[in-house]
Amino acid sequence: MRKDNPGKRCTIAVAGVLLASCGQFASAAQAVSVNFNNHPAQVYTGKLLQQDWPGLVWDGTRNRARIIADNTCPTGQYLRMSYPAGSVGPLQGGGQFLVKLPPADEYFLSYRVRFQPGFDFAKGGKLPGLASGDAKYSNGHKPYNGDGWTARLMWVEQGKLVPYLYYVGMPAERKFGDFWPIGISAKPGEWMQITQQVRLN
């Protein structure tokens, strides 16, 4: 999700996504691996999403996600997400889709991401992440009911990356999730490997 993009159209590339669950509440270690090489270069929505993500619940890509073939990509093809100039929020820029996860007490999410050269980080936005329970509050400005959690990375000014969390026990009056600096920044034009592990307590 993009919060503010006043100046120009920007894009983010995502490649080589691995989603895995394991632990005592999982029937077995389960994993979904997607590298976007199973489809020709085209808009990534509808049936293509369902083929890659069997647990697809909702598609909010709004025709802004496109499969791109590029021999400089580590996996051959990647998913490009567009943020039109002047876009504010997920209805206007970027996109998202929701995949149902099997019950588990531990989840892993790993993917590569690249911000286009000259990317305008503006006021920030969110990268793919994990969620459970009632995640309707994950966009902020909504009352938090404590039923569930979300765990994502967010970029802020100058490409600094921060964990961004909503969690059980968080104060109900909080309008936004918690985040803190971790000393890592995205560099436009360079691929980064993001790996996330969430262990439930």
Side-chain angles (χ1 to χ4, degrees):
M1 182 181 79
R2 177 79 170 203
K3 284 188 175 178
D4 180 36
N5 181 18
K8 58 185 177 181
R9 177 181 178 274
C10 297
T11 61
I12 292 178
V14 178
V17 181
L18 173 65
L19 175 62
S21 61
C22 61
Q24 63 178 340
F25 294 110
S27 57
Q30 301 175 0
V32 175
S33 179
V34 177
N35 62 18
F36 308 110
N37 290 331
N38 295 328
H39 313 294
Q42 60 185 302
V43 173
Y44 188 67
T45 189
K47 291 182 179 179
L48 298 182
L49 271 164
Q50 291 173 351
Q51 289 174 26
D52 288 340
W53 305 97
L56 182 70
V57 175
W58 171 73
D59 174 10
T61 55
R62 301 176 183 272
N63 293 321
R64 290 191 291 262
R66 176 171 287 276
I67 297 172
I68 303 295
D70 183 349
N71 59 12
T72 65
C73 173
T75 58
Q77 294 193 162
Y78 63 84
L79 186 66
R80 183 179 69 195
M81 190 65 68
S82 297
Y83 299 84
S87 61
V88 178
L91 297 181
Q92 299 178 15
Q96 47 195 327
F97 58 91
L98 184 64
V99 177
K100 186 175 182 179
L101 302 176
D105 57 0
E106 192 169 10
Y107 295 96
F108 295 87
L109 175 64
S110 183
Y111 57 90
R112 294 182 178 95
V113 64
R114 181 184 67 188
F115 294 83
Q116 76 171 46
F119 187 87
D120 179 10
F121 289 103
K123 293 184 178 179
K126 298 177 184 75
L127 291 171
L130 297 166
S132 179
D134 185 356
K136 68 183 179 183
Y137 50 81
S138 63
N139 289 330
H141 295 292
K142 296 179 181 179
Y144 177 68
N145 64 12
D147 179 19
W149 52 269
T150 64
R152 295 166 288 177
L153 276 183
M154 179 175 180
W155 75 82
V156 294
E157 291 84 357
Q158 301 174 341
K160 296 175 183 176
L161 299 180
V162 296
Y164 187 70
L165 305 178
Y166 286 85
Y167 52 90
V168 174
M170 196 171 117
E173 66 276 6
R174 187 87 46 92
K175 289 185 177 180
F176 300 99
D178 277 347
F179 65 93
W180 59 92
I182 55 175
I184 297 174
S185 297
K187 297 179 181 178
E190 296 184 10
W191 286 101
M192 296 183 68
Q193 179 78 40
I194 305 292
T195 301
Q196 179 179 0
Q197 176 187 5
V198 172
R199 181 176 298 161
L200 307 186
N201 58 20

Short mmCIF file of all heavy atoms in Angstrom, two decimals, residues 17 71 103 148 155 161:
data_model
loop_
_atom_site.label_atom_id
_atom_site.label_comp_id
_atom_site.label_asym_id
_atom_site.label_seq_id
_atom_site.Cartn_x
_atom_site.Cartn_y
_atom_site.Cartn_z
N VAL A 17 8.54 -15.73 -4.63
CA VAL A 17 7.83 -15.73 -3.35
C VAL A 17 7.72 -17.16 -2.81
O VAL A 17 7.32 -18.07 -3.53
CB VAL A 17 6.42 -15.14 -3.51
CG1 VAL A 17 5.69 -15.12 -2.17
CG2 VAL A 17 6.50 -13.74 -4.10
N ASN A 71 15.76 -10.59 -18.01
CA ASN A 71 16.89 -11.49 -17.74
C ASN A 71 17.80 -10.99 -16.63
O ASN A 71 18.71 -11.70 -16.21
CB ASN A 71 17.69 -11.76 -19.01
CG ASN A 71 18.26 -10.49 -19.63
OD1 ASN A 71 18.24 -9.43 -19.01
ND2 ASN A 71 18.75 -10.60 -20.86
N PRO A 103 -3.94 -23.54 9.24
CA PRO A 103 -3.63 -23.34 10.66
C PRO A 103 -2.22 -23.83 10.97
O PRO A 103 -1.80 -24.90 10.53
CB PRO A 103 -4.67 -24.20 11.39
CG PRO A 103 -5.79 -24.34 10.40
CD PRO A 103 -5.14 -24.38 9.05
N GLY A 148 -6.75 -11.03 16.23
CA GLY A 148 -5.83 -11.30 15.13
C GLY A 148 -4.61 -10.41 15.16
O GLY A 148 -4.38 -9.66 16.12
N TRP A 155 8.02 0.66 4.30
CA TRP A 155 9.09 1.62 4.00
C TRP A 155 8.62 3.00 4.40
O TRP A 155 7.43 3.32 4.34
CB TRP A 155 9.49 1.58 2.53
CG TRP A 155 8.56 2.22 1.55
CD1 TRP A 155 8.47 3.55 1.24
CD2 TRP A 155 7.57 1.57 0.74
NE1 TRP A 155 7.50 3.76 0.30
CE2 TRP A 155 6.93 2.56 -0.04
CE3 TRP A 155 7.17 0.24 0.59
CZ2 TRP A 155 5.91 2.26 -0.94
CZ3 TRP A 155 6.16 -0.05 -0.30
CH2 TRP A 155 5.55 0.95 -1.05
N LEU A 161 13.44 0.70 6.08
CA LEU A 161 12.48 -0.38 6.31
C LEU A 161 12.25 -0.57 7.80
O LEU A 161 13.20 -0.55 8.59
CB LEU A 161 12.98 -1.68 5.69
CG LEU A 161 13.18 -1.65 4.17
CD1 LEU A 161 13.69 -3.00 3.68
CD2 LEU A 161 11.89 -1.27 3.45
#
